[in-house]
């Protein structure tokens, strides 16, 4: 008889920005280790571009999902919890699920955690966490930059914009850098509120390339430049969602539910 050995695989898109990685992805994984000290924790990144970049630049090899699962099987793990740090149930998460399904035969049981925003309760929580963490004053507008996707899960960004207002935060707005709602919609909505200042913040787990360039960059197309051009005073908070204690708590709870499922 084989002895049961449980492990957790934390799956992220990845980032080549070391400073934000330490405060977000590394911290989230450390919190999993603190919470479940007897369970080995592994890492996988889904972005091939970023994995190759890190390997070339820093000589650090980070496995993709399939390689990480193969490594875990080789290490003798028999039951696996896969925990994505993805914000939504979009393309990256679908791809991860495909890869996990292809490797299920390696283990006696596999349980997959849900992305940060999956249930209506998750959405309610994130509204509270962000409103508490960034706490814009009444005469300020907080504008959050989500990633955005061509996947139908993109509808969540407009739903969250609605929910912030519905939960008593008429001065918090959500848009995306790559899909709808885009910058033009945001500028239109923010203008109606006529705030004294606009605060921009990423609504992504890490504050990497999109935060540095598309949000706060000096280029003419950045959200900062465009809001300034529209006549607003702008400040930027370059803090990834993964840095928020409240988001780390949500992540840990999702890991816990996936672990519970393994036991059921
Ligand atoms: Co992108």
């Amino acid at each position: 008889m084989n002895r049961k050995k449980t492990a957790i695989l934390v799956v992220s898109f990845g980032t080549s920005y070391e400073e934000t990685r330490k405060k977000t992805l590394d911290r989230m994984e450390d919190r999993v280790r603190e919470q479940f000290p007897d369970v080995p924790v592994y890492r996988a990144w889904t972005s091939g571009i970023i994995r190759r970049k890190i390997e070339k630049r820093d000589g650090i090899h980070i496995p993709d999902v399939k390689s990480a699962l193969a490594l875990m099987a080789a290490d003798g793990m028999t039951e696996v919890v896969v925990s994505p740090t993805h914000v939504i149930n979009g393309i990256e998460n679908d791809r991860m699920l495909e890869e996990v399904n292809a490797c299920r035969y390696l283990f006696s049981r596999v349980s997959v955690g849900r992305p940060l925003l999956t249930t209506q309760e998750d959405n309610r929580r994130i509204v509270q966490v962000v409103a508490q963490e960034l706490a814009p004053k009444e005469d300020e507008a907080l504008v959050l930059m989500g990633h955005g996707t061509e996947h139908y899960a993109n509808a969540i960004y407009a739903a969250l914009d609605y929910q912030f207002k519905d939960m008593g935060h008429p001065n918090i707005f959500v848009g995306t850098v790559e899909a709808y709602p885009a910058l033009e919609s945001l500028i239109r909505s923010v203008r109606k509120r006529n705030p004294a200042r606009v605060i921009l913040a990423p609504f992504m787990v890490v504050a990497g390339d999109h935060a540095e360039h598309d949000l706060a960059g000096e280029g003419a197309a950045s959200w900062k430049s465009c809001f300034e051009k529209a006549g607003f005073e702008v400040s930027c908070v370059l803090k990834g969602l993964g840095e928020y204690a409240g988001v780390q708590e949500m992540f840990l709870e999702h890991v816990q539910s996936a672990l519970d499922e393994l036991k059921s």
Side-chain angles (χ1 to χ4, degrees):
M1 286 291 278
N2 280 337
R3 209 165 55 89
K4 191 172 89 179
K5 271 190 102 177
T6 306
I8 297 168
L9 174 62
V10 178
V11 178
S12 303
F13 178 76
T15 179
S16 59
Y17 287 71
E18 195 178 336
E19 208 180 303
T20 183
R21 189 205 71 221
K22 286 182 184 156
K23 293 185 224 161
T24 58
L25 304 182
D26 291 1
R27 188 71 198 114
M28 289 165 94
E29 290 170 19
D30 284 343
R31 290 207 59 181
V32 174
R33 287 189 184 92
E34 288 158 20
Q35 183 98 342
F36 309 102
D38 306 326
V39 184
V41 178
Y42 292 74
R43 159 185 280 180
W45 285 2
T46 58
S47 169
I49 294 173
I50 290 173
R51 282 187 298 102
R52 283 189 289 276
K53 190 172 170 182
I54 297 273
E55 179 124 41
K56 205 170 156 195
R57 189 190 67 191
D58 310 327
I60 297 170
H61 175 75
I62 296 159
D64 62 10
V65 173
K66 281 185 176 174
S67 315
L69 288 170
L71 175 68
M72 294 166 85
D75 286 348
M77 303 302 146
T78 62
E79 298 199 331
V80 170
V81 163
V82 179
S83 289
T85 66
H86 303 142
V87 176
I88 63 169
N89 289 261
I91 294 170
E92 292 302 318
N93 201 66
D94 281 355
R95 278 199 198 123
M96 179 199 77
L97 289 173
E98 277 174 31
E99 298 196 1
V100 170
N101 283 333
C103 297
R104 273 184 194 267
Y105 72 94
L106 293 170
F107 308 98
S108 57
R109 298 199 77 172
V110 176
S111 167
V112 184
R114 56 183 205 268
L116 186 67
L117 304 179
T118 302
T119 66
Q120 189 49 42
E121 171 60 17
D122 293 333
N123 297 353
R124 209 183 55 76
R125 281 278 291 283
I126 200 74
V127 164
Q128 287 177 327
V129 166
V130 169
Q132 226 171 46
E133 181 89 25
L134 298 175
K137 298 195 189 85
E138 200 155 322
D139 63 346
E140 296 173 331
L142 170 62
V143 179
L144 302 167
M145 176 194 262
H147 192 275
T149 172
E150 58 198 19
H151 192 285
Y152 56 78
N154 189 67
I156 194 165
Y157 296 107
L160 279 176
D161 181 85
Y162 183 99
Q163 194 158 356
F164 271 107
K165 289 157 184 80
D166 193 30
M167 287 176 65
H169 306 287
N171 57 341
I172 302 184
F173 301 81
V174 185
T176 74
V177 61
E178 297 199 345
Y180 183 85
L183 178 61
E184 305 78 70
S185 310
L186 288 167
I187 291 179
R188 263 199 306 277
S189 312
V190 169
R191 191 169 266 143
K192 281 184 209 145
R193 187 148 173 104
N194 197 26
R197 184 181 322 127
V198 170
I199 302 162
L200 301 175
F203 190 78
M204 303 176 210
V205 170
V206 305
D209 205 43
H210 287 304
E212 296 273 348
H213 298 114
D214 302 316
L215 185 96
E218 291 307 321
S222 78
W223 284 24
K224 178 172 182 272
S225 301
C226 292
F227 268 103
E228 281 172 351
K229 205 172 154 214
F232 297 102
E233 184 194 326
V234 179
S235 64
C236 301
V237 182
L238 296 191
K239 196 169 180 179
L241 288 177
E243 240 182 278
Y244 298 19
V247 169
Q248 294 169 7
E249 299 294 336
M250 287 175 72
F251 179 63
L252 287 175
E253 284 167 32
H254 290 198
V255 175
Q256 182 66 63
S257 345
L259 265 168
D260 292 345
E261 229 170 84
L262 210 53
K263 282 167 197 142
S264 66

